[in-house]
Amino acid sequence: MEGIEHRTIEVNGINMHIAEKGEGPIVLFLHGFPELWYSWRHQIQYISSKGYHAVAPDLRGYGDTDAPTSITSYTVFHIVGDIIALIDSLGVEKVYLVAHDWGAIIGWYLSLFRPDRIKAYVCLSVPFMPRNPKIKPVDGMRALYGDDYYICRFQEPGKIEAQLAKADTEQIITTFLTGRKPGPPILPKEGVRAPPNVPITLPSWLTKEDVTYYASKFNKSGFTGGLNYYRNINLNWELTGAWSGAQIKVPVKFITGDLDVVYTSLGTKDYIESGAFKKYVPFLEEVVIQEGVAHFNNQEAAEEVNHHIYEFINKF
């Protein structure tokens, strides 16, 4: 992590930790669940070496950033508000945006609410999904995949946390990051812990030191902050009614793996291939499907993703 600097800034009423490196135009990286700024370690080093200022926060509820106790303090309006305050604090009008998983969802809302602050957006894993005015998202997911679909299981406050507390944090992080089973994630009824004494062999792209770093932060903060994003999905739907049918009006490059759990569920593959994605994101310039790559492609296929990011933002 040579040369990466860390500081805390006040944004939108909370203290936010950011990691940064380099000088030049700002490239802002937003992580997902269960992750941290650290998920962008490879991109920070590469992009900063290319004449850019890479900035990666711990999002609200994660790592060394504050985690408000109220569940409803984690709506997309709160989190986009944090990011706008972060951009303001960096003293620039616009940033290049790179985001993954929940960070990608926040990136879409940021692009929807404040396109004036985004030069271009490289989105990983989660495409923009238009609001369905007829059904709340979690209700739709439950009808499609049942109560044990992971997002449904995350809804009840404290329940999944109690299960996670019984398991080793390093094992939880490893299980999440190394999962390669495509399709909708269905959690076992008995809980999310892996079988005891069954070591998980780490892939070449994830080290023991990486897992230990993630676990050290989640041991301190817990998982509730990150889980609260899921607990606001239906509330976000209610709050964003005014944007039904709205398009994303920023230049976008989308990258995902063909084993990604998002790409292989919820009709995502068909949505992308049918042209519907392009309908709602008219400035979608390119879709990259990485063969044999799963959900955490910014870590698993870091070098390829680095080149895709640089190639795209360098055009603007």
Short mmCIF file of all heavy atoms in Angstrom, two decimals, residues 23-46:
data_model
loop_
_atom_site.label_atom_id
_atom_site.label_comp_id
_atom_site.label_asym_id
_atom_site.label_seq_id
_atom_site.Cartn_x
_atom_site.Cartn_y
_atom_site.Cartn_z
N GLU A 23 -1.71 12.79 -8.10
CA GLU A 23 -2.11 14.16 -8.41
C GLU A 23 -2.69 14.21 -9.80
O GLU A 23 -2.27 13.46 -10.69
CB GLU A 23 -0.89 15.09 -8.30
CG GLU A 23 -0.33 15.23 -6.90
CD GLU A 23 0.84 16.19 -6.83
OE1 GLU A 23 1.17 16.79 -7.88
OE2 GLU A 23 1.42 16.34 -5.74
N GLY A 24 -3.65 15.12 -9.98
CA GLY A 24 -4.30 15.25 -11.28
C GLY A 24 -5.81 15.21 -11.14
O GLY A 24 -6.34 15.38 -10.04
N PRO A 25 -6.52 14.96 -12.24
CA PRO A 25 -7.99 14.85 -12.18
C PRO A 25 -8.39 13.74 -11.20
O PRO A 25 -7.72 12.70 -11.11
CB PRO A 25 -8.38 14.49 -13.61
CG PRO A 25 -7.23 14.94 -14.46
CD PRO A 25 -6.01 14.78 -13.61
N ILE A 26 -9.49 13.95 -10.49
CA ILE A 26 -9.89 12.99 -9.45
C ILE A 26 -10.69 11.83 -10.03
O ILE A 26 -11.64 12.02 -10.80
CB ILE A 26 -10.69 13.71 -8.35
CG1 ILE A 26 -9.74 14.61 -7.55
CG2 ILE A 26 -11.37 12.70 -7.42
CD1 ILE A 26 -10.42 15.52 -6.56
N VAL A 27 -10.28 10.63 -9.64
CA VAL A 27 -11.05 9.42 -9.92
C VAL A 27 -11.56 8.90 -8.57
O VAL A 27 -10.78 8.58 -7.68
CB VAL A 27 -10.20 8.33 -10.61
CG1 VAL A 27 -11.07 7.12 -10.96
CG2 VAL A 27 -9.54 8.89 -11.87
N LEU A 28 -12.87 8.88 -8.43
CA LEU A 28 -13.51 8.51 -7.17
C LEU A 28 -14.00 7.07 -7.24
O LEU A 28 -14.74 6.70 -8.15
CB LEU A 28 -14.68 9.46 -6.90
CG LEU A 28 -15.48 9.25 -5.62
CD1 LEU A 28 -14.61 9.41 -4.39
CD2 LEU A 28 -16.66 10.22 -5.57
N PHE A 29 -13.58 6.27 -6.26
CA PHE A 29 -13.90 4.84 -6.23
C PHE A 29 -14.86 4.53 -5.09
O PHE A 29 -14.57 4.85 -3.93
CB PHE A 29 -12.62 4.01 -6.04
CG PHE A 29 -11.64 4.10 -7.17
CD1 PHE A 29 -10.63 5.07 -7.19
CD2 PHE A 29 -11.71 3.21 -8.23
CE1 PHE A 29 -9.72 5.14 -8.23
CE2 PHE A 29 -10.80 3.27 -9.28
CZ PHE A 29 -9.81 4.24 -9.28
N LEU A 30 -16.00 3.89 -5.38
CA LEU A 30 -17.00 3.54 -4.37
C LEU A 30 -17.11 2.01 -4.26
O LEU A 30 -17.40 1.33 -5.23
CB LEU A 30 -18.36 4.13 -4.75
CG LEU A 30 -18.41 5.64 -5.02
CD1 LEU A 30 -19.84 6.06 -5.34
CD2 LEU A 30 -17.86 6.43 -3.84
N HIS A 31 -16.90 1.51 -3.05
CA HIS A 31 -16.89 0.05 -2.80
C HIS A 31 -18.29 -0.49 -2.51
O HIS A 31 -19.26 0.26 -2.36
CB HIS A 31 -15.96 -0.27 -1.63
CG HIS A 31 -16.47 0.23 -0.30
ND1 HIS A 31 -17.44 -0.44 0.41
CD2 HIS A 31 -16.14 1.33 0.45
CE1 HIS A 31 -17.68 0.21 1.54
NE2 HIS A 31 -16.92 1.29 1.58
N GLY A 32 -18.37 -1.81 -2.41
CA GLY A 32 -19.63 -2.49 -2.11
C GLY A 32 -19.59 -3.22 -0.79
O GLY A 32 -18.82 -2.90 0.12
N PHE A 33 -20.44 -4.28 -0.68
CA PHE A 33 -20.59 -5.09 0.55
C PHE A 33 -20.00 -6.47 0.31
O PHE A 33 -20.24 -7.05 -0.75
CB PHE A 33 -22.08 -5.21 0.88
CG PHE A 33 -22.37 -6.07 2.08
CD1 PHE A 33 -22.41 -5.52 3.35
CD2 PHE A 33 -22.61 -7.43 1.94
CE1 PHE A 33 -22.69 -6.31 4.46
CE2 PHE A 33 -22.88 -8.23 3.04
CZ PHE A 33 -22.92 -7.67 4.30
N PRO A 34 -19.30 -7.03 1.30
CA PRO A 34 -18.85 -6.46 2.56
C PRO A 34 -17.40 -5.98 2.39
O PRO A 34 -16.46 -6.76 2.61
CB PRO A 34 -18.94 -7.64 3.51
CG PRO A 34 -18.62 -8.85 2.63
CD PRO A 34 -19.01 -8.47 1.22
N GLU A 35 -17.23 -4.76 2.00
CA GLU A 35 -15.91 -4.31 1.58
C GLU A 35 -15.52 -2.99 2.23
O GLU A 35 -16.17 -2.51 3.17
CB GLU A 35 -15.86 -4.20 0.06
CG GLU A 35 -16.15 -5.51 -0.66
CD GLU A 35 -16.14 -5.33 -2.16
OE1 GLU A 35 -15.04 -5.40 -2.76
OE2 GLU A 35 -17.22 -5.08 -2.74
N LEU A 36 -14.46 -2.39 1.71
CA LEU A 36 -13.87 -1.16 2.25
C LEU A 36 -13.17 -0.43 1.11
O LEU A 36 -13.10 -0.94 -0.01
CB LEU A 36 -12.81 -1.51 3.32
CG LEU A 36 -13.24 -2.36 4.52
CD1 LEU A 36 -12.02 -2.97 5.20
CD2 LEU A 36 -14.04 -1.51 5.51
N TRP A 37 -12.58 0.73 1.41
CA TRP A 37 -11.71 1.40 0.43
C TRP A 37 -10.69 0.42 -0.13
O TRP A 37 -10.30 0.52 -1.29
CB TRP A 37 -10.97 2.58 1.10
CG TRP A 37 -9.86 2.12 2.01
CD1 TRP A 37 -9.93 1.86 3.35
CD2 TRP A 37 -8.51 1.80 1.63
NE1 TRP A 37 -8.72 1.41 3.83
CE2 TRP A 37 -7.82 1.37 2.79
CE3 TRP A 37 -7.80 1.85 0.42
CZ2 TRP A 37 -6.49 0.99 2.79
CZ3 TRP A 37 -6.46 1.47 0.42
CH2 TRP A 37 -5.82 1.04 1.59
N TYR A 38 -10.28 -0.54 0.70
CA TYR A 38 -9.19 -1.47 0.40
C TYR A 38 -9.47 -2.32 -0.85
O TYR A 38 -8.54 -2.81 -1.50
CB TYR A 38 -8.99 -2.37 1.62
CG TYR A 38 -7.77 -3.27 1.57
CD1 TYR A 38 -6.51 -2.79 1.90
CD2 TYR A 38 -7.90 -4.61 1.23
CE1 TYR A 38 -5.40 -3.61 1.89
CE2 TYR A 38 -6.79 -5.45 1.20
CZ TYR A 38 -5.55 -4.94 1.53
OH TYR A 38 -4.45 -5.77 1.51
N SER A 39 -10.75 -2.47 -1.19
CA SER A 39 -11.10 -3.24 -2.39
C SER A 39 -10.52 -2.63 -3.66
O SER A 39 -10.40 -3.31 -4.68
CB SER A 39 -12.62 -3.34 -2.53
OG SER A 39 -13.15 -4.06 -1.45
N TRP A 40 -10.17 -1.34 -3.58
CA TRP A 40 -9.65 -0.62 -4.74
C TRP A 40 -8.13 -0.48 -4.69
O TRP A 40 -7.56 0.32 -5.43
CB TRP A 40 -10.29 0.76 -4.82
CG TRP A 40 -11.76 0.73 -4.96
CD1 TRP A 40 -12.71 1.07 -4.02
CD2 TRP A 40 -12.51 0.34 -6.12
NE1 TRP A 40 -13.97 0.91 -4.52
CE2 TRP A 40 -13.88 0.46 -5.82
CE3 TRP A 40 -12.15 -0.10 -7.40
CZ2 TRP A 40 -14.89 0.16 -6.73
CZ3 TRP A 40 -13.15 -0.41 -8.31
CH2 TRP A 40 -14.50 -0.27 -7.98
N ARG A 41 -7.46 -1.26 -3.85
CA ARG A 41 -6.00 -1.10 -3.66
C ARG A 41 -5.24 -1.18 -4.98
O ARG A 41 -4.31 -0.40 -5.22
CB ARG A 41 -5.48 -2.14 -2.66
CG ARG A 41 -5.74 -3.60 -3.04
CD ARG A 41 -5.62 -4.54 -1.84
NE ARG A 41 -5.91 -5.92 -2.18
CZ ARG A 41 -7.15 -6.41 -2.27
NH1 ARG A 41 -8.21 -5.63 -2.07
NH2 ARG A 41 -7.34 -7.69 -2.56
N HIS A 42 -5.62 -2.12 -5.85
CA HIS A 42 -4.91 -2.27 -7.13
C HIS A 42 -5.19 -1.09 -8.06
O HIS A 42 -4.29 -0.62 -8.75
CB HIS A 42 -5.33 -3.57 -7.82
CG HIS A 42 -5.19 -4.79 -6.96
ND1 HIS A 42 -3.97 -5.22 -6.47
CD2 HIS A 42 -6.11 -5.67 -6.48
CE1 HIS A 42 -4.15 -6.30 -5.73
NE2 HIS A 42 -5.45 -6.60 -5.73
N GLN A 43 -6.45 -0.64 -8.06
CA GLN A 43 -6.82 0.47 -8.94
C GLN A 43 -6.19 1.79 -8.48
O GLN A 43 -5.78 2.60 -9.31
CB GLN A 43 -8.34 0.61 -8.99
CG GLN A 43 -9.05 -0.47 -9.79
CD GLN A 43 -9.10 -1.83 -9.10
OE1 GLN A 43 -9.22 -1.91 -7.88
NE2 GLN A 43 -9.00 -2.90 -9.89
N ILE A 44 -6.09 1.99 -7.17
CA ILE A 44 -5.49 3.22 -6.64
C ILE A 44 -4.04 3.33 -7.12
O ILE A 44 -3.60 4.39 -7.59
CB ILE A 44 -5.56 3.24 -5.10
CG1 ILE A 44 -7.01 3.40 -4.63
CG2 ILE A 44 -4.70 4.38 -4.53
CD1 ILE A 44 -7.20 3.19 -3.13
N GLN A 45 -3.30 2.23 -7.01
CA GLN A 45 -1.89 2.26 -7.42
C GLN A 45 -1.75 2.50 -8.92
O GLN A 45 -0.93 3.31 -9.36
CB GLN A 45 -1.20 0.94 -7.02
CG GLN A 45 -1.16 0.67 -5.52
CD GLN A 45 -0.24 1.62 -4.77
OE1 GLN A 45 0.25 2.60 -5.29
NE2 GLN A 45 -0.01 1.34 -3.48
N TYR A 46 -2.57 1.82 -9.70
CA TYR A 46 -2.45 1.93 -11.16
C TYR A 46 -2.88 3.30 -11.66
O TYR A 46 -2.16 3.95 -12.43
CB TYR A 46 -3.27 0.82 -11.83
CG TYR A 46 -3.19 0.84 -13.35
CD1 TYR A 46 -2.11 0.28 -14.01
CD2 TYR A 46 -4.19 1.45 -14.10
CE1 TYR A 46 -2.04 0.31 -15.41
CE2 TYR A 46 -4.13 1.49 -15.48
CZ TYR A 46 -3.04 0.92 -16.13
OH TYR A 46 -2.97 0.96 -17.50
#
